[in-house]
């Protein structure tokens, strides 16, 4: 699949279709569609409209046709964009892809006002914070992602003719196999200062072991006071004895069709203990339904989250014996 937009030649960019995470493309497009079409903009991010080529829209269109066979196989640009926009807006995880970015960036900006100036995105995908840099208080942005997705993103940015600020750095790492602690410490501009981490739309694709390893690695490497916002799926989604709701079923089918099925969730009741054992204190754990209500209390966008998506905001626990009471 060609995923990058080129101002000179929007459709002729040779990239391996298997390279970039498809769900990362869909998430970025969804945020652009939200910014352009929803009556109440919860998260303003138009970058999906700039980064992706016409060929990418066509690829997503073919995917949308699977859910709506009445769409013609061959369609012009306007039909493609409108069908993709409608298809993605109807998707069960569409609200989640919007509210998680809003939640993380709100928390980042609160942390930045309190002096945490380094932002690290784990599994950054096509997140556009580095392209927007909306807060002058955030001094550096470090994107850590699977090398396959990251190289395509860098290519897309270059093809869009954008020069990133020097405060942005990219670090390629496969979180399912690599030791994050080893790549993290040298990646931060100031490893001794606290950092703010986001980890959105990733935990569900990793094994439980890889997730815990990542949590432990960040807690052990990041300075005390560092914070993390991460998205996770309520473990009930994976309960084989529980009947799936219509939205859950649709979501499962969509993920299978995209070739990126979810494999891991957490039990919200056990989350504080799981986090504590990995070096974190839980500050907030909130359901997707509550977040949509928080940001759009009047329901102007008509967003109906699928229900078992959650966001947690956590802080590195004080390393007792190092910086805790009684430390030498
Ligand atoms: C659904 S996308 C989310 C992207 C972005 N955080 C967002 O919210 O739009 C999942 C991201 O996880 C990354 N990812 C999946 N498996 C990974 C792995 N083993 N190591 C590193 N990144 C991984 C993908 O490359 C992709 O960027």
């Amino acid at each position: 699949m060609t995923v990058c937009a080129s101002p000179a030649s929007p459709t002729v960019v040779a990239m391996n279709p298997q390279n970039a995470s498809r769900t990362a493309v869909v998430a970025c497009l969804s945020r652009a569609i939200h910014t352009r079409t929803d009556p109440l903009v919860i998260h303003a991010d138009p970058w999906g409209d700039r980064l992706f080529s016409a060929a990418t829209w066509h690829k997503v269109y073919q995917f949308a046709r699977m859910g709506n066979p009445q769409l013609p196989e061959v369609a012009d640009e306007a039909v493609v964009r409108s069908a993709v926009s409608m298809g993605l807006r109807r998707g069960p995880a569409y609200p989640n892809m919007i509210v998680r970015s809003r939640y993380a960036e709100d928390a980042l900006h609160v942390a930045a006002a309190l002096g945490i100036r380094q932002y690290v995105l784990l599994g950054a995908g096509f997140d556009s914070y580095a392209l927007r840099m909306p807060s002058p208080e955030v001094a550096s942005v470090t994107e850590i992602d699977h090398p396959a997705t990251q190289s395509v993103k860098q290519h897309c940015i270059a093809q869009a003719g954008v020069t990133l600020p020097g405060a942005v750095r990219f670090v390629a790492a496969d979180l399912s196999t690599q030791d994050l602690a080893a790549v993290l410490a040298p990646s931060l501009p100031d490893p001794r200062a606290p950092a703010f981490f986001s980890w959105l739309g990733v935990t569900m694709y990793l094994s439980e072991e890889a997730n815990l390893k990542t949590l432990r690695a960040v807690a052990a490497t990041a300075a005390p006071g560092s914070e993390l916002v991460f998205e996770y799926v309520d473990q009930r989604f994976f309960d084989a004895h529980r009947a799936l709701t219509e939205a859950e079923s649709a979501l499962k089918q969509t993920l299978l069709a995209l070739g990126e099925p979810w494999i891991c969730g957490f039990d919200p009741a056990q989350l504080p203990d799981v986090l504590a054992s990995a070096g974190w204190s839980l500050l907030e754990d909130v359901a997707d339904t509550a977040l949509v209500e928080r940001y759009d209390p009047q329901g102007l966008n008509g967003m109906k989250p699928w229900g078992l998506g959650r966001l947690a905001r956590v802080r590195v626990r004080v390393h007792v014996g190092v910086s805790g009471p009684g430390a030498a």
Side-chain angles (χ1 to χ4, degrees), residues 12-94:
V12 189
V13 182
M15 291 295 301
N16 182 334
Q18 304 307 321
N19 273 356
S21 156
R22 291 173 179 180
T23 51
V25 174
V26 163
C28 183
L29 283 176
S30 296
R31 290 189 284 266
I33 290 162
H34 161 68
T35 306
R36 194 164 17 86
T37 59
D38 278 325
L40 177 69
V41 177
I42 289 172
H43 179 70
D45 174 7
W47 276 91
D49 283 338
R50 277 192 71 181
L51 286 180
F52 300 115
S53 65
T56 298
W57 282 87
H58 276 273
K59 190 82 188 174
V60 180
Y61 173 76
Q62 295 306 335
F63 175 74
R65 282 185 63 238
M66 285 155 53
N68 184 359
Q70 284 172 334
L71 291 171
E73 188 177 346
V74 180
D76 68 27
E77 203 60 33
V79 171
V80 164
R81 287 188 180 242
S82 138
V84 166
S85 298
M86 272 167 52
L88 291 187
R89 281 184 86 212
R90 276 202 296 260
Y94 173 77

Side-chain angles (χ1 to χ4, degrees), residues 128-295:
S128 70
Y129 193 91
L131 295 155
R132 289 177 284 118
M133 294 293 273
S135 166
E137 289 171 321
V138 177
S140 72
V141 177
T142 304
E143 295 202 0
I144 300 180
D145 203 350
H146 194 284
T149 305
Q150 192 169 81
S151 63
V152 174
K153 181 182 191 176
Q154 288 176 293
H155 185 75
C156 289
I157 291 170
Q159 292 295 322
V162 177
T163 307
L164 284 165
V168 178
R169 52 180 75 185
F170 292 96
V171 180
D174 181 346
L175 296 179
S176 64
T177 54
Q178 277 181 266
D179 177 8
L180 183 61
V183 288
L184 199 53
S187 309
L188 290 173
D190 184 357
R192 286 165 307 172
F196 185 94
F197 295 81
S198 70
W199 195 21
L200 306 177
V202 189
T203 60
M204 48 290 267
Y205 298 102
L206 302 180
S207 66
E208 185 181 349
E209 191 194 344
N211 279 320
L212 295 178
K213 219 173 133 190
T214 300
L215 282 169
R216 280 195 293 266
V218 180
T221 316
S226 294
E227 290 189 15
L228 162 72
V229 163
F230 71 96
E231 186 183 24
Y232 75 97
V233 172
D234 187 317
Q235 184 66 44
R236 281 184 293 156
F237 181 62
F238 301 95
D239 180 353
H241 302 296
R242 196 182 135 265
L244 295 179
T245 64
E246 208 176 302
E248 290 165 13
S249 232
L251 186 55
K252 212 165 219 175
Q253 276 168 19
T254 303
L255 293 163
L256 280 176
L258 285 168
E260 296 180 30
W262 288 350
I263 58 170
C264 185
F266 292 98
D267 176 355
Q270 291 178 8
L271 193 66
D273 289 343
V274 170
L275 288 166
S277 70
W280 298 92
S281 301
L282 180 63
L283 303 176
E284 186 178 32
D285 176 19
V286 58
D288 51 8
T289 42
L291 282 175
V292 169
E293 257 180 62
R294 184 182 296 183
Y295 300 134

